[in-house]
Amino acid sequence: MAAARKRSAAVYFTAAAILLGAIAGSQFQMRVPSRPRGTVSELLALRSRVDLSLVFIVVDTLRADRMSLYGYRRRTTPVIDALAQSGITFERVIAQSSWTKTSMASLWTATYPAANGVSRFDSALPAAAEMPAEILERTGYRTVGIWRNGWVAANFGFDQGFDVYYTPKAGTADRLERRSPAAASIGGTDEDVLIAARDFLEQFGERKFFLYLHLMDLHQYVFDDDADDFGPSYSDAYDRALDWTDRVIGAIVQALDDSGAMARTVVAIASDHGEAFLEHGREGHGYDLHREVVEVPFVIIAPLRLEPGIRVAETIGNVDVWPTLLDLLGAPPLAGVDGRSQLPRIIAAHDASNRRGSAEPARPVISQLDQHWGGRGAPRLLVSITDADARLIVQPGQIDSAALYDRRADPLEAANRAARDPTKLRAMLEQIDAHLQSAAPPWGAESETVDVDALRLDQLRALGYRVGS
């Protein structure tokens, strides 16, 4: 019954998207939505509201340091910048992998990869895993997921808790050019997601809802023909695509405002991983765990204006995203997970001189990648650990592979200090060993392995990945 309901809803939304195609112009105009001014106390009081909705936007392949919000030299994200001025920005966020499926499994479940076990192309979250959408569905939310990346498809367990979970059909934005140094093109653009989201808001925006939107144009380097000429390189194409994606997000927020839902909706923006441009000899992602592929944004826009906006400086992980959002919504927490709510840090950052929040001490953040995740060879594990001062990237058991970086003096990770700081190296290696030995899923069941048929493999290869034997 649930599967039939999802299929029928997908057909309905796809038809509506085609009818609404003419609405979505290439040049989105967005005004900053009007929201009442509020205090941190009023932010915390959102937990008691029974009408609060959530829009969770994942921008695939978004590295934080390419956003003007995070200090980039180009004004690539003016819409997000404007929203964040009265919102909450986490300045240092570490994704739990540089590959989508592993990273998203950690983000959704608030568990590290070593615990949830999702590390290979055929890995899947088991039904026993508790997902945020399940919690929100049980508490009265209508839950809808609209996505374009095949690594978060339903067969990998990511649809748990969603009333409707589908990818919109292409066909509304053929005028857009495509540039991609690392991936082949896939059908459609994020404008298809926008149109489906607009239609959902028109139909169901008056109810309490959770809307998950997974955008892919930045991953594919899709950009608007009319965008400013940033330059000819792959790196320039990425910036141009980010400018386009920023305007798509502006149109989503505008649709929320036009529907009247913005006044009772929390909007969160996150990413699964970043993108490399030869900083450490590679382009793309899913190869290593350097900063350019794991440092991502996390921004929260509440239905009230915080003036000035709040910036949290401490390093957190993507495992902390959902514990924070559920806490902000007043929803039940995910049980036994690695992530922690960051509301205490938000409070502390708002008024450092009067620490009304008792933020816990900073914890190291773990990232992990099976470098043979595509199924071509035996597992080859790479792990990183990040604390306030340093980052270590290593293949466990192979000390010669260790790369240790001083985060303060060497934020670009240019100088390996492993040989010069053996004390720090040894301490971080011990932390990694302890983490790998103690990790276990809070739901008890191990990750599953699913058959990935030829059609799905071809769809995943269209993203530019080499998967399967």
Side-chain angles (χ1 to χ4, degrees):
M1 181 66 72
R5 178 175 58 178
K6 290 180 182 180
R7 286 195 297 270
S8 62
V11 170
Y12 171 77
F13 280 129
T14 301
I18 294 173
L19 292 174
L20 288 169
I23 297 176
S26 64
Q27 297 297 322
F28 299 134
Q29 301 297 322
M30 183 263 182
R31 62 180 184 274
V32 176
S34 57
R35 294 163 292 157
R37 184 172 181 174
T39 65
V40 168
S41 296
E42 289 170 314
L43 178 72
L44 297 178
L46 293 176
R47 302 179 194 180
S48 63
R49 288 182 58 168
V50 297
D51 65 336
L52 207 59
S53 292
L54 173 65
V55 175
F56 183 56
I57 302 172
V58 172
V59 181
D60 207 294
T61 320
L62 177 52
R63 55 184 279 182
D65 67 357
R66 286 305 183 97
M67 302 173 67
S68 43
L69 174 64
Y70 285 80
Y72 189 49
R73 60 183 176 81
R74 282 175 168 163
R75 196 163 177 258
T76 50
T77 53
V79 170
I80 300 175
D81 296 356
L83 294 168
Q85 284 182 359
S86 56
I88 302 160
T89 302
F90 291 84
E91 295 181 347
R92 295 177 177 87
V93 185
I94 306 295
Q96 271 50 80
S97 187
S98 62
W99 173 52
T100 296
K101 192 202 288 190
T102 296
S103 181
M104 290 300 295
S106 285
L107 190 154
W108 280 120
T109 65
T111 61
Y112 281 122
N116 62 55
V118 177
S119 62
R120 306 276 282 187
F121 83 100
D122 54 356
S123 300
L125 287 166
E130 185 175 39
M131 303 282 276
E134 294 177 288
I135 293 174
L136 295 177
E137 186 182 39
R138 289 196 299 266
T139 54
Y141 286 77
R142 181 174 181 82
T143 57
V144 174
I146 306 172
W147 49 274
R148 296 183 57 235
N149 189 326
W151 291 123
V152 297
N155 62 307
F156 296 129
F158 290 99
D159 64 333
Q160 295 171 196
F162 284 98
D163 299 320
V164 178
Y165 194 78
Y166 80 108
T167 183
K169 290 189 179 298
T172 61
D174 292 337
R175 63 184 176 281
L176 295 178
E177 293 187 4
R178 304 175 192 280
R179 297 288 186 271
S180 176
S185 63
I186 58 175
T189 72
D190 290 339
E191 205 165 353
D192 301 309
V193 176
L194 164 63
I195 293 169
R198 279 175 164 167
D199 185 62
F200 169 79
L201 291 171
E202 288 182 5
Q203 298 295 320
F204 305 106
E206 295 182 358
R207 292 186 52 183
K208 184 166 71 171
F209 62 84
F210 163 44
L211 181 61
Y212 158 50
L213 307 175
H214 194 123
L215 306 183
M216 276 293 285
D217 283 351
L218 187 60
H219 183 290
Q220 300 304 107
Y221 293 72
V222 172
F223 59 86
D224 184 8
D225 292 344
D226 298 325
D228 293 334
D229 185 10
F230 287 177
S233 72
Y234 292 145
S235 178
D236 294 325
Y238 179 92
D239 290 351
R240 190 180 295 111
L242 178 52
D243 171 80
W244 159 255
T245 301
D246 181 70
R247 284 183 285 140
V248 171
I249 290 173
I252 293 168
V253 172
Q254 189 66 66
L256 279 167
D257 203 29
D258 290 345
S259 70
M262 192 69 196
R264 51 181 177 77
T265 300
V266 173
V267 178
I269 301 170
S271 182
D272 53 346
H273 56 72
E275 185 82 334
F277 296 100
L278 299 178
E279 292 90 346
H280 292 90
R282 292 183 180 274
E283 288 180 329
H285 56 270
Y287 303 107
D288 58 44
L289 295 173
H290 284 288
R291 60 174 296 278
E292 58 269 14
V293 291
V294 296
E295 292 196 4
V296 294
F298 180 33
V299 180
I300 300 173
I301 301 101
L304 49 84
R305 298 193 329 273
L306 300 169
E307 297 180 352
I310 298 172
R311 295 185 74 101
V312 179
E314 292 90 348
T315 300
I316 70 167
N318 264 355
V319 290
D320 300 314
V321 166
W322 271 102
T324 302
L325 292 176
L326 291 172
D327 195 5
L328 185 61
L329 295 174
L334 292 161
V337 297
D338 297 306
R340 299 289 183 269
S341 170
Q342 297 301 308
L343 281 190
R345 293 199 193 284
I346 292 171
I347 297 168
H350 176 258
D351 189 354
S353 63
N354 178 18
R355 299 184 71 87
R356 292 173 289 172
S358 55
E360 65 179 16
R363 298 167 296 133
V365 179
I366 307 289
S367 300
Q368 183 173 318
L369 178 71
D370 179 349
Q371 292 181 297
H372 292 164
W373 55 261
R376 297 170 183 264
R380 189 171 188 264
L381 184 62
L382 192 67
V383 179
S384 75
I385 183 168
T386 305
D387 63 22
D389 302 315
R391 290 194 73 232
L392 172 65
I393 305 171
V394 67
Q395 290 178 256
Q398 300 185 36
I399 194 169
D400 290 344
S401 70
L404 178 65
Y405 302 103
D406 185 329
R407 292 187 74 201
R408 301 182 189 276
D410 181 24
L412 299 183
E413 300 178 357
N416 184 356
R417 295 182 54 84
R420 287 181 286 172
D421 196 347
T423 301
K424 182 66 173 180
L425 173 62
R426 185 166 50 252
M428 297 187 90
L429 286 172
E430 289 174 354
Q431 288 178 298
I432 287 176
D433 288 344
H435 168 76
L436 295 177
Q437 291 172 14
S438 63
W443 49 82
E446 299 292 333
S447 63
E448 298 176 349
T449 299
V450 298
D451 291 329
V452 184
D453 60 30
L455 176 60
R456 290 190 185 276
L457 282 174
D458 287 342
Q459 292 170 342
L460 295 170
R461 289 168 183 147
L463 296 175
Y465 296 114
R466 296 177 63 200
V467 291
S469 59

